[in-house]
Amino acid sequence: MLSPKKKIVFITGTRADFSKIKSLMHKVEDSSDFELFVFVTGMHLSSYFGSTIGEVEKNGFRNIFKFINYDKYYQMDKALATTIDGFSRFVSEVEPDLIVVHGDRIEPLAAAITGSLNNILVAHIEGGEISGTIDDSLRHAISKLAHIHLVNDENAKKILMQLGESEDSIFVIGSPDMELLEQSTISLDEAKRYYDIDFEHYAIVMFHPVTTEFMDMKAQSENLVSALKSSGKNYIVIYPNNDLGFEFITQSYEALRGLARFRLFPSLRFEYFIALLKNAEFVIGNSSCILKEAPYLGIPGILVGSRQNGRAGSQSVLKVEAQSSAILEAIGQIHKIDKTGAKHTEILNSSERFFEYLQSGAFFEIPTQKVFKQIVYKENL
Ligand code: UDP
């Protein structure tokens, strides 16, 4: 008798995680050994944040399940509880062999809790990174619940081992979205036409809340907006994610609406976003893209505030406090940045590596009972 296809569930809650896992999802969907299930929730289903479910659907996956996990206040702890409830009922119906989660948001945390409490293997992509805001705690919590770790590099592996994770459970596959940068086929003209953008020169703005600085987010976003207005440049402004404090940012962007030098968008389609990014004068804000895609593409960045604290920097990125004068000064310096100093990122064929491990059965040999690997310090020997 033929062995049944193994069922693999991916959860996606935002454009940010989807761009990082979709190449892996295609590998699973295209294989006759596995069956892909996609649980779509979070910002994807919110029209306010651009209904990015459309991006997921355009990929043509057969089994897509939609679940609204928020109410009108987008409260993060309540959304976490709701997602656990919905995802738990979903897995009891599907009975997956493996759950794949990415990153550091409440949706992957909900899926990792559900998987680990039901003895279902959980694989976590991009654990072992360090950053600011609540993301850092969420990411490490997900790693502690996951059984399998698919990490960017050797440094991430060391950080997970410091958290007590077993070396056998950590697989270096690289960052899955980076391979997509080479494959993007949309031209700048197409992207500009699609979004009706007529700037010749422009920069991209992506600023998210720092949940642990909630009380200061109104001032930070107003400072950013004031500097952008004073700079005299053209900007494509992309809405933040729905983390605590996002309204401060979207409210301050209202001052830009209708101004000729600014175009506001809830979210851009990934390939179009990459085409616009490749041709941007610079990118400003606190998106992970400032430290990942932008340096790789040779686009300078200005990192505002603390959200990416702890992540490896790049010579092509200026880091400033979220104060108007500092931001404006950095914008004035941007032409001096040596783009050749951009961080060189080695692009691994992540989806291929992921699929090889999947097919070899390596993931399925990992036990659901985890063992904490204690580091033995010299003085205790
Ligand atoms: N992205 C996209 N369209 C957009 C903005 C972002 O496709 O309009 C993708 C892009 O790959 C980017 C990633 O989402 O690198 C993450 O961006 P974001 O700033 O939303 O999230 P972060 O990773 O900083 O949490």
Side-chain angles (χ1 to χ4, degrees), residues 15-17 19-20 55 104-105 135 177 206 208 238-239 241 266-271 273-274 286-289 293 307-308:
R15 65 182 178 214
D17 68 42
S19 65
K20 284 157 189 134
E55 276 288 280
D104 47 28
R105 302 185 57 77
D135 297 358
D177 54 334
M206 298 161 83
H208 300 285
I238 302 174
Y239 267 26
N241 65 25
S267 193
L268 304 176
R269 294 183 59 190
F270 177 73
E271 283 77 9
F273 168 78
I274 296 299
N286 59 12
S287 166
S288 64
C289 148
E293 289 102 321
R307 184 170 184 259
Q308 300 297 343

Side-chain angles (χ1 to χ4, degrees), residues 52 73 185 212 290:
T52 49
Y73 302 109
T185 52
T212 44
I290 297 175

Side-chain angles (χ1 to χ4, degrees), residues 134-173:
I134 193 66
D135 297 358
D136 216 39
S137 308
L138 296 181
R139 189 181 319 104
H140 298 323
I142 297 167
S143 291
K144 286 310 302 175
L145 293 160
H147 312 96
I148 301 158
H149 308 283
L150 308 172
V151 301
N152 280 348
D153 52 32
E154 290 297 326
N155 193 45
K157 181 172 176 173
K158 283 192 194 131
I159 289 168
L160 286 177
M161 288 168 70
Q162 190 179 340
L163 287 175
E165 295 302 292
S166 158
E167 189 168 6
D168 302 341
S169 67
I170 309 172
F171 302 84
V172 178
I173 66 161

Side-chain angles (χ1 to χ4, degrees), residues 18 162 252 301 313 352 363:
F18 185 62
Q162 190 179 340
S252 51
E352 201 56 56
F363 295 158

Side-chain angles (χ1 to χ4, degrees), residues 253-286:
Y253 286 169
E254 285 309 306
L256 305 173
R257 201 174 287 287
L259 301 183
R261 291 193 297 100
F262 292 88
R263 294 296 314 280
L264 265 68
F265 298 96
S267 193
L268 304 176
R269 294 183 59 190
F270 177 73
E271 283 77 9
Y272 294 73
F273 168 78
I274 296 299
L276 289 163
L277 177 64
K278 276 182 183 163
N279 294 281
E281 210 180 322
F282 60 95
V283 49
I284 182 166
N286 59 12

Side-chain angles (χ1 to χ4, degrees), residues 204-206 224 228 235 282-286 290 302 304 327 331:
I204 297 179
V205 184
M206 298 161 83
L224 173 65
L228 298 176
Y235 293 98
F282 60 95
V283 49
I284 182 166
N286 59 12
I290 297 175
I302 300 173
V304 178
I327 300 169
I331 296 173

Side-chain angles (χ1 to χ4, degrees), residues 234-252:
N234 300 321
Y235 293 98
I236 295 171
V237 181
I238 302 174
Y239 267 26
N241 65 25
N242 61 351
D243 280 352
L244 179 72
F246 75 86
E247 296 98 328
F248 293 132
I249 300 174
T250 50
Q251 275 160 18
S252 51

